[in-house]
Amino acid sequence: MWKPTTIVGGKLISDEFGLSPREADVLVLLAKHMPVKAIADELFVSFNTARTHVRHVYGKLDVHSRRGLDELIDAFEID
């Protein structure tokens, strides 16, 4: 299972892709397959704010779906 502290080439994944601390939090929750509404509740933000964070994470990681995100995470687990 992917952990938020997974290191790639000596760097945290969030550092590797230039994620903000909040985006890193969202990435962890996305990796746990949480829906956007649950992410919003967990982080005490509105649904729209959570959705915006998700979009930013997807953009920075250059993925377009949860499946793409899962594949990216799996690829880093292998390295």
Side-chain angles (χ1 to χ4, degrees):
M1 177 67 175
W2 179 82
K3 296 175 178 54
T5 57
T6 299
I7 296 177
V8 177
K11 294 173 122 180
L12 292 174
I13 288 176
S14 59
D15 294 338
E16 182 75 16
F17 289 96
L19 299 181
S20 71
R22 185 52 115 185
E23 290 166 348
D25 294 341
V26 170
L27 176 59
V28 170
L29 299 175
L30 286 169
K32 294 179 180 180
H33 301 281
M34 292 180 72
V36 177
K37 175 68 171 116
I39 291 171
D41 293 343
E42 179 78 19
L43 299 178
F44 303 103
V45 297
S46 73
F47 175 83
N48 287 329
T49 298
R51 188 170 58 177
T52 297
H53 287 313
V54 169
R55 287 180 182 161
H56 289 165
V57 168
Y58 280 18
K60 288 182 178 182
L61 299 181
D62 195 27
V63 297
H64 305 286
S65 66
R66 293 277 179 128
R67 183 174 180 186
L69 180 63
D70 287 343
E71 290 172 0
L72 179 70
I73 290 169
D74 288 344
F76 279 111
E77 285 181 342
I78 294 169
D79 292 343

